[in-house]
Amino acid sequence: MASCKAPCCVLLFYFFVCFACQCIATGVDADQTLLLVNASESSGRLIPETLFGLFFEEINHAGAGGLWAELVSNRGFEAGGPNTPSNIDPWSIIGDESSLSVSTDRSSLFERNKIALQMEVLCDISGANICPSGGVGIYNPGYWGMNIEQGKTYKVVLYVRSSGPINVSVSLTDSSGLQKLAADDIIASASDVSDWKKVELLLEAKGTNHNSRLQLTTTRKGVIWFDQVSVMPSDTYKGHGFRSDLFQKLADLKPRFVRFPGGCFVEGEWLRNAFRWKETVGPWEERPGHFGDVWMYWTDDGLGYFEFLQLTEDLGALPIWVFNNGISHQDQVDTTAVLPFVQEALDSIQFARGPPDSKWGSLRATMGHPEPFDLRYIALGNEDCGKKNYRGNYLKFYDAINRAYPDIKIISNCDASNRPLDHPADFYDFHIYTSANDMFSKRSKFDNVPRKGPKAFVSEYAVTGNDAGKGSFLAALAEAGFLIGLEKNSDVVEMVSYAPLFVNANDRRWNPDAIVFNSSHLYATPSYLVQRFFAESSGATILKTTLTNNSNSLIASAISWKNPEDSKNYIRIKVVNFGSITVNLKISVGELEKSSIQISGSNMTVFTSTNLMDENSFSEPRKLEPKPGPLEGAGEEMDVKLPPHSLTSFDLLKGPSSNIRMGGTDSFSRSSI
Ligand code: AHR
């Protein structure tokens, strides 16, 4: 012990002298808060290209009735189950028992989804039982109303069959059916429709209504079958089926990966209801759809495995495919019997990246994507680590995937932040849902985790519970602190995504969420808005920062990055003040290496709220919003005020040193010399 004393004193003395020197050099009072930024890229560290991404789960109608733009819900009449008679909800009947009888049977053209709708029309255009002038039939309100907008076109596809000639009106109407926004007729002879016939119509809307419905009506007696009825807006992203406003919201975050399709959705409450990729690929008409028994709703699986891969590609992101490894919430496949599940996983990889002449790669090619998708990551299971068969099943999957595709990185469900894994993995999955204070305290969670071994994938994080409401500012601020902590630890944390991403306000299964929408509108919660501050971090350089006199309510980071839009170089300093008093912060940027901070082109953005529990809403979608503005006095030395409870970013434009202000007249002079 005695031998250690002298070096310790020397160290302490050295620290004191250094700190005092910094204070003198920067002209800061001993009790003033100081942030030193070492702008030298060579002493910084590259942030992984993949750091910030998205987690898309089919929860809250994120996909069906959300990002997937299909307007018809239960388009194949399969949601009521494979036995007939069955529930056709949300389809409803226009007419009454004297005019119409509707039932389901198993006469569909499609083998994997045998249910079709049979409509027996009892009334007619003349005679004793005359149909109402608007006709009788069925309607579908979509997902809490269809958004039909004037001037836009909608592609209707349906399959129809009849024992006689038909004259069916296909219309998009308001929710009462009285106002027609767009309509066309299907008129066919008996021979035309004696077998199933595919009909395609393009309807142009003459009016706007956010709560519309699709009607199939007739005034002619007869028996008509319908199946696989679809209405797609023509303005989906690149025609790929993604609702364009929701897609744009994702693109704005510049995500580097998309983890999909769950979450618990992947597991299922029971394995028989888990997501099975092979049931979600191929022509949409042939997909059986399935009931997601964790979040308790039916999906037609228009947004299937192929579409998820397409989504990631369209976003310029990498897919992270979460695969069920034989474990649901309630049941598990024994490891001795898991090999068929392993084969499913191998087939899914071949579907994504096998050559177009391979068995599954050829299906991808027929779906319009002969080139392979860039699948590099597979997560085995979701939150299943402690379960009896997890390790055994995991190893079977790991060995088989690793043998066939050695470059694929495999993500384990088991947390290696506290103790090493007992199985091989490239990443370990880390989920955190907690209170605001705890989330902020977790900013240092990864400071001391092992630097060797699998990297961390923080694939689900969010403040939840009372602190969060349906998306409070407080929750977002704590998350901002946590994210800065992750950014600083991005040598061990390679990927991070918020959860959940979307909520259709008509079916909130989970609070809070990043993006709230209904049929026609959307708004971002503060947790989404915080993520915008990190959109440029992936692939940037994290710079060394030192925060002194830290009251424990501050955390800061700095990155150096090049903006591809203007090809200019910036330093972005982000600071969270989680405390309730204003902080006077002196920022000192050193080691600029032949460059300097340009006043023009530098700016700052402040995100704060006087009421921590404030939320955005449909009526006030921008109540909470980061406020950008010029950065007065941008330079190597800056005195700034951090409002209580705030996230502030300072974007400093770097330029050649000759551009900086010269002379000893102000605080910029020192660094210019
Ligand atoms: O994000 C919501 C759910 O939280 C996910 O499905 C699950 O992984 C976690 O428990």
Side-chain angles (χ1 to χ4, degrees), residues 85-104:
S86 55
N87 188 352
I88 60 168
D89 186 68
W91 290 91
S92 295
I93 292 171
I94 302 166
D96 60 25
E97 285 172 8
S98 69
S99 56
L100 185 74
S101 161
V102 168
S103 60
T104 49

Side-chain angles (χ1 to χ4, degrees), residues 106-179:
R106 295 183 50 82
S107 68
S108 170
L109 177 62
F110 304 110
E111 277 314 310
R112 290 194 297 180
N113 48 24
K114 288 308 291 179
I115 303 295
L117 181 117
Q118 189 205 68
M119 184 168 101
E120 184 177 1
V121 182
L122 307 171
C123 59
D124 208 344
I125 195 155
S126 59
N129 186 5
I130 295 183
C131 292
S133 59
V136 296
I138 52 173
Y139 73 86
N140 188 297
Y143 299 90
W144 303 279
M146 298 177 181
N147 181 35
I148 303 299
E149 295 181 286
Q150 182 165 10
K152 290 196 175 170
T153 54
Y154 299 84
K155 184 176 177 191
V156 179
V157 180
L158 57 81
Y159 289 76
V160 64
R161 180 168 73 88
S162 180
S163 47
I166 59 168
N167 187 333
V168 173
S169 167
V170 178
S171 57
L172 297 167
T173 72
D174 71 346
S175 62
S176 69
L178 296 175
Q179 188 203 354

Side-chain angles (χ1 to χ4, degrees), residues 55 57 59 259 262-267 294-295 329 382-383 431 433 459-460 498-501 510 513:
F55 166 42
E57 172 158 25
I59 180 175
R259 175 183 184 242
C264 297
F265 180 72
V266 165
E267 302 170 85
V294 175
W295 307 120
H329 285 182
N382 175 66
E383 296 184 344
H431 295 182
Y433 296 100
S459 73
E460 299 182 26
Y498 179 86
L501 183 58
W510 187 286
D513 308 273

